[in-house]
């Protein structure tokens, strides 16, 4: 039974067609995957379904009757709730207030705090979010904020639940819990629309698939059972001949000042309550993965090298045997790059053009050396990155905030790689990036290592860890439980040791 149907949806932004005649029908008790490359139009369709934007053309119908939503609150009143890609939470309000942004009249205007808490508790515990409801949302981690947004949608008890990359900020156990919840909702006859770049996950869960390419539906409500992951990828990228030509090697001119080379070293490093007596050495040119369950200490290693945290005991030395300066800013000046998948938290200037963002880090370095930075040169370099990473944009003058989520993440990468860092710290660098661009980004990371950078990679994507890293250090309770390389480096070993510390 079709609950919500969109037909002929078109949305044009200043000459760019984000979506042309997009369509999707959401069935009760079924999960519909909405897939496509970065910038294909997925979030645009999601925003139309959830009342966040009005389409230029096209219609929505609910239970067979035409409907139009004034805004997202109106959609919620009609039983359509959304978990948006760029989380829409109030950082200055506490968790509870965020869970009830609109006091719905049908539940009574005087919904009291105790009733709200009672309704929220079971949902939060099913999601595995254990926080005090009075915590300010701004103080939560990205993964926790994602769970708050999901909980908010679930509390509305929607008939149609639309999730735009809901697991991109979650670790494995968080994703598994969410997928479990979606399976239960499906049994309860809820219609689910699920946007994700993690194709294995989608294919396990969904019943039907719609694929968008360049704003057009190339697969519409196809039966999942008839398709392999390969079929879906081909639909997303288009036939080989239609794809953009292989990027030319010289698209980005090499920067004159390469990284200095040398090892990154941690010696007997202890951070009280977080790491105990950790030692590691990463030579220039090597890509080393760090992983573990939340709180196991692997992310603290990145924070130590970035100057965001000081060791209680022990030493951390950058290549060239230099100490880590205090604070992120100085660490950046010392050649440390920090690429995080939390692009909102890591300073893109959303109202500035692409070329300014891409050239930002390098320009700061050059200016410090007294070099006059020519804008035309920055623009030209930015164009090279746009081509190489296939950043979907009008041109490098476009405001960065107008790019799709995955394309913004590519800009974050471009900006750091452009600075030829000596140490590249990556924390889920390809979160939200589509399959094609992911391979491209992995190439760029390998190239940075090849140029002599030290690379430390934390990732919730096991595939990324095993394919990209020379070695992976598995952390357990603040210690390195295993150093895996060669034959030993496989996903099973990582999961097993993360959970057990390596004991049978
Ligand atoms: N407000 C806007 N102004 C201008 N262009 C926009 C705006 N919103 C989206 N676009 C453009 O529309 C196209 C589709 O964007 P959309 O966000 O729907 O992509 P997506 O499929 O969700 O990609 P991703 O996987 O990266 O999230 C992109 O080229 C994007 O730059
Ligand atoms: Mg999107």
């Amino acid at each position: 039974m079709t609950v919500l149907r969109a037909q002929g949806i078109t949305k044009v932004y200043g000459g760019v067609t984000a979506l042309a005649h997009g369509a999707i029908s959401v069935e009760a008790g079924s999960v519909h995957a909405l897939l496509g490359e970065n910038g294909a139009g997925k979030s645009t369709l999601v925003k139309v379904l959830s009342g966040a934007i009005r389409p230029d053309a096209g219609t929505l119908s609910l239970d067979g009757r035409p409907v139009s939503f004034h805004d997202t609150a109106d959609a919620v009143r009609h039983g359509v709730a959304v978990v948006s890609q760029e989380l829409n939470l109030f950082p200055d309000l506490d968790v509870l207030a965020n869970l009830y942004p609109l006091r719905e009249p049908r539940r009574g205007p005087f919904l009291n705090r105790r009733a709200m808490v009672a309704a929220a508790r079971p949902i939060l515990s099913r999601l595995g979010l254990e926080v005090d409801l009075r915590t300010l949302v701004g103080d939560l981690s990205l993964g926790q904020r994602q769970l708050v947004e999901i909980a908010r949608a679930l509390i509305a008890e929607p008939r149609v639940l639309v999730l735009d990359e809901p697991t991109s900020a979650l670790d494995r156990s968080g994703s598994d819990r969410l997928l479990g919840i979606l399976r239960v909702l499906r049994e309860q006859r809820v219609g689910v629309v699920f946007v994700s770049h993690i194709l294995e996950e989608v294919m396990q869960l969904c019943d039907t698939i719609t694929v968008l390419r360049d704003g057009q539906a190339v697969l519409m409500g196809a039966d999942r059972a008839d398709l392999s992951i390969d079929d879906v990828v081909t639909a997303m990228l288009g036939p080989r001949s239609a794809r953009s030509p292989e990027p030319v090697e010289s698209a980005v001119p090499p920067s004159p000042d390469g990284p200095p080379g040398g090892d990154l070293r941690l010696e007997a490093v202890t951070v009280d309550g977080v790491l105990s007596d950790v030692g590691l050495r990463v030579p220039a040119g090597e890509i080393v993965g760090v992983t573990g369950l939340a709180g196991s200490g692997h992310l603290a290693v990145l924070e130590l090298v970035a100057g965001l945290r000081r060791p209680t005991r022990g030493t951390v030395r950058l290549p060239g045997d230099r100490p880590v300066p205090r604070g992120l800013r100085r660490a950046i000046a010392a050649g440390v790059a920090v690429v995080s998948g939390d692009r909102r938290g890591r300073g893109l200037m959303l109202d500035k053009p692409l070329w300014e963002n891409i050239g930002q880090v390098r320009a700061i370095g050059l200016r410090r050396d007294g070099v006059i930075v020519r804008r035309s040169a920055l623009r030209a370099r930015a164009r090279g990155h746009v081509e190489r990473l296939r950043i979907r944009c009008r041109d490098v003058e476009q405001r960065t905030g107008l790019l799709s989520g995955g394309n913004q993440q590519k800009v974050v990468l471009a900006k750091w790689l452009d600075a030829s860092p000596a140490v590249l710290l990556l924390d889920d660098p390809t979160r939200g990036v589509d399959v094609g661009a992911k391979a491209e980004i992995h190439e760029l990371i390998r190239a940075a290592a090849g140029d002599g950078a030290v690379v430390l990679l934390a990732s919730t994507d096991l595939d990324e860890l095993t394919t990209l890293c020379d070695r992976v250090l598995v952390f357990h309770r603040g210690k390195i439980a295993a150093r895996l390389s060669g034959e030993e480096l496989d996903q099973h070993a990582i999961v097993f040791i993360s959970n057990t510390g390596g004991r049978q």
Side-chain angles (χ1 to χ4, degrees), residues 423-478:
V423 179
L424 188 51
L425 303 175
L426 304 164
D427 181 8
D428 262 336
T430 58
R431 177 182 288 156
V433 166
D434 65 51
V435 280
K438 195 161 160 178
E440 200 73 36
I441 287 170
H442 286 173
E443 269 319 301
L444 288 177
I445 293 170
R446 286 198 189 94
D451 288 345
V454 167
V455 183
L456 270 185
L457 168 74
S459 180
T460 49
D461 179 345
L462 291 177
D463 213 36
E464 185 161 81
L465 283 174
T466 51
T467 55
L468 197 56
C469 296
D470 301 305
R471 282 187 288 149
V472 171
L473 312 177
V474 187
F475 285 72
H476 184 73
R477 302 199 175 164

Side-chain angles (χ1 to χ4, degrees), residues 13 16 18 37-44 85 165 197 392 398 402-407 432:
Y13 288 107
V16 175
E37 279 192 289
N38 295 135
K42 304 179 297 295
S43 295
T44 305
Q85 182 176 18
E165 301 196 37
H197 290 291
R392 206 185 130 104
Q398 191 167 17
L402 299 183
L403 298 192
S404 75
N407 281 304

Side-chain angles (χ1 to χ4, degrees), residues 1 21 28 42 44 68 99 134 178 192 225 242 255 263 265 271 277 306 313 350 406 434 451 467 469:
M1 189 188 66
H21 314 292
K42 304 179 297 295
T44 305
S68 76
L99 291 175
R134 285 161 304 193
L178 175 63
V192 177
S255 44
D263 300 352
R265 281 183 296 133
V271 177
D277 200 22
R313 281 184 300 284
L350 292 176
D434 65 51
D451 288 345
T467 55
C469 296

Side-chain angles (χ1 to χ4, degrees), residues 175-208:
S175 305
D176 288 347
R177 277 171 196 267
L178 175 63
L179 299 187
I181 291 171
L182 295 182
R183 289 196 172 93
V184 173
L185 291 179
R186 169 165 58 191
E187 275 161 33
Q188 296 168 347
R189 308 293 299 154
V190 174
V192 177
V193 177
F194 192 86
V195 180
S196 176
H197 290 291
I198 308 170
L199 297 180
E200 288 84 359
E201 166 185 288
V202 180
M203 295 295 274
Q204 266 179 34
L205 178 71
C206 73
D207 305 292
T208 46

Side-chain angles (χ1 to χ4, degrees), residues 257 332-333 359-371 373 419:
D257 43 344
I332 289 169
Q360 184 197 13
V361 181
R362 199 177 125 80
I364 291 171
L366 291 175
R367 261 184 224 118
R368 206 186 39 244
D369 296 340
V371 178
V373 185

Side-chain angles (χ1 to χ4, degrees), residues 212-402:
L212 299 178
R213 184 164 78 228
D214 294 336
Q216 311 222 357
V218 289
L219 266 184
M220 227 189 282
D223 199 336
R224 129 85 256 227
D226 299 337
L227 296 167
S228 67
I229 289 193
D230 256 4
D231 297 333
V232 172
V233 171
T234 307
M236 282 170 61
L237 303 182
R240 278 201 170 275
S241 57
R243 279 181 229 169
S244 50
E246 288 300 304
V248 274
E249 266 316 305
S250 60
V252 180
S255 44
D257 43 344
D263 300 352
L264 169 75
R265 281 183 296 133
L266 270 73
E267 278 162 15
V269 169
T270 294
V271 177
D272 281 342
V274 182
L275 283 178
S276 56
D277 200 22
V278 165
L280 65 92
R281 202 176 67 84
V282 188
E286 211 170 280
I287 305 176
V288 171
V290 292
T291 187
L293 301 180
S296 66
H298 63 297
L299 293 177
V301 172
L302 264 56
E303 290 168 2
L304 283 164
V305 179
L308 289 167
R309 213 186 241 282
R310 310 301 292 178
T312 320
R313 281 184 300 284
T315 50
V316 183
R317 310 291 285 181
L318 297 178
D321 205 26
R322 295 169 300 148
V324 178
R326 213 174 263 274
L328 185 57
R329 244 166 215 292
R330 293 206 190 96
I332 289 169
V336 178
V338 190
V339 178
S340 162
D342 182 2
R343 56 184 168 272
R344 280 223 158 165
R346 289 278 186 250
L348 273 183
M349 305 176 290
L350 292 176
D351 54 343
K352 288 274 162 55
L354 273 180
W355 68 268
E356 272 191 50
N357 273 292
I358 293 177
Q360 184 197 13
V361 181
R362 199 177 125 80
I364 291 171
L366 291 175
R367 261 184 224 118
R368 206 186 39 244
D369 296 340
V371 178
I372 296 166
V373 185
R374 282 182 307 125
R375 292 178 157 226
S376 60
L378 289 179
R379 284 196 173 92
R381 284 181 71 88
R383 268 182 226 115
H385 285 290
V386 162
E387 194 176 317
R388 177 110 208 231
L389 287 171
R390 286 193 258 142
I391 298 175
R392 206 185 130 104
C393 59
R394 209 183 52 224
D395 52 41
V396 295
E397 306 300 329
Q398 191 167 17
R399 264 172 52 198
T400 308
L402 299 183

